[in-house]
Amino acid sequence: MKIEIKEYDNEKYREGIEELADHYEKILGLLGEDPTREGLEKTPMRVAKAMQVLTKGYTMDAHKILTDALFKEDYNQMVIVKDINFFSLCEHHMLPFYGKAHVAYIPNGYITGLSKIARVVDIFAHRLQVQERMTQQIKDCIEQTLHPLGVMVVIEAKHMCMQMRGVEKQNSITTTSDFSGAFKQAKTRQEFMNLIHNNQI
């Protein structure tokens, strides 16, 4: 699907930003506010811009990010990029969840730039998400693009939908994982978990 990009106040946003702002103006009214008062006058457009930034992952190709920095290499031991900070929006309440992603893969003839792993996390985080699916999408993208001997992804996150509403549990952390190939062996998974929780460099 082709995404139309347009200029707005010298910045680039996807097509439909004015319509999105109109909807937010209506939402403010439905919440009992006066969208014409000074403090809220520009809020609908600000929110529309923010939402386009927070969902920019829909316009990006995570597979291409990896293949743009693909290098032939005989290294076949674990490569880990840990403590990748991210934030996302849960698709159920459109409230933030945030935390850290830890990604490992075992190369099978090819490696990718280390920063590209973090960018893959960002691309999938910048969409309406659930943590479980995001974990799987990151793993699948690396597996399908690099064809490694194995991939493992662990995500640890706090969810504002649990902190601000519902059960209101402030300190709960949700952990999800997905793995393939060599990481199906318990010993390999344990090595990965030991390394991501070791704070020494």
Side-chain angles (χ1 to χ4, degrees):
M1 181 177 68
K2 185 177 181 181
I3 305 292
E4 295 292 333
I5 305 295
K6 66 177 297 178
E7 293 278 345
Y8 194 94
D9 293 340
N10 298 319
E11 296 182 64
K12 291 184 178 180
Y13 293 95
R14 305 198 295 277
E15 187 178 25
I17 191 166
E18 291 93 350
E19 185 179 359
L20 191 58
D22 288 342
H23 284 296
Y24 279 116
E25 184 175 355
K26 292 182 177 68
I27 288 170
L28 287 172
L30 291 169
L31 291 175
E33 265 290 359
D34 175 10
T36 64
R37 71 175 174 86
E38 183 180 6
L40 292 177
E41 189 176 0
K42 296 182 179 180
T43 295
M45 182 54 73
R46 290 192 190 105
V47 178
K49 289 179 177 180
M51 290 303 296
Q52 284 212 352
V53 171
L54 294 173
T55 59
K56 66 183 179 181
Y58 290 120
T59 69
M60 305 171 76
D61 185 341
H63 296 275
K64 188 175 186 304
I65 291 295
L66 292 176
T67 57
D68 281 349
L70 198 60
F71 309 101
K72 187 168 180 58
E73 188 62 55
D74 290 334
Y75 185 81
N76 61 0
Q77 299 301 312
M78 201 181 300
V79 177
I80 300 174
V81 183
K82 70 174 188 174
D83 295 336
I84 303 169
N85 292 311
F86 76 90
F87 56 85
S88 188
L89 291 175
C90 87
E91 65 181 36
H92 297 145
H93 303 98
M94 292 182 70
L95 289 172
F97 67 95
Y98 61 95
K100 294 181 178 181
H102 314 286
V103 181
Y105 74 100
I106 300 174
N108 186 20
Y110 288 91
I111 61 172
T112 189
L114 298 177
S115 67
K116 306 306 180 184
I117 301 294
R119 289 195 65 189
V120 167
V121 172
D122 276 345
I123 288 171
F124 289 114
H126 280 80
R127 301 177 183 184
L128 298 183
Q129 279 289 10
V130 294
Q131 183 176 333
E132 296 89 339
R133 183 174 65 236
M134 178 176 152
T135 306
Q136 186 174 30
Q137 286 175 332
I138 295 167
K139 186 266 294 181
D140 289 346
C141 177
I142 295 170
E143 185 174 38
Q144 293 165 10
T145 308
L146 300 182
H147 305 291
L149 298 176
V151 184
M152 185 164 178
V153 178
V154 172
I155 294 180
E156 301 168 306
K158 290 189 173 184
H159 292 248
M160 297 304 287
C161 59
M162 288 184 65
Q163 294 179 307
M164 296 174 65
R165 56 164 299 285
V167 294
E168 297 185 11
K169 299 302 180 186
Q170 305 304 317
N171 297 313
S172 63
I173 295 175
T174 301
T175 301
T176 51
S177 68
D178 197 7
F179 51 86
S180 66
F183 288 96
K184 291 181 179 179
Q185 300 178 30
K187 182 180 178 181
T188 308
R189 290 199 306 277
Q190 188 59 53
E191 179 185 354
F192 171 60
M193 297 302 292
N194 290 342
L195 288 169
I196 67 173
H197 291 119
N198 182 351
N199 292 322
Q200 293 182 354
I201 297 178

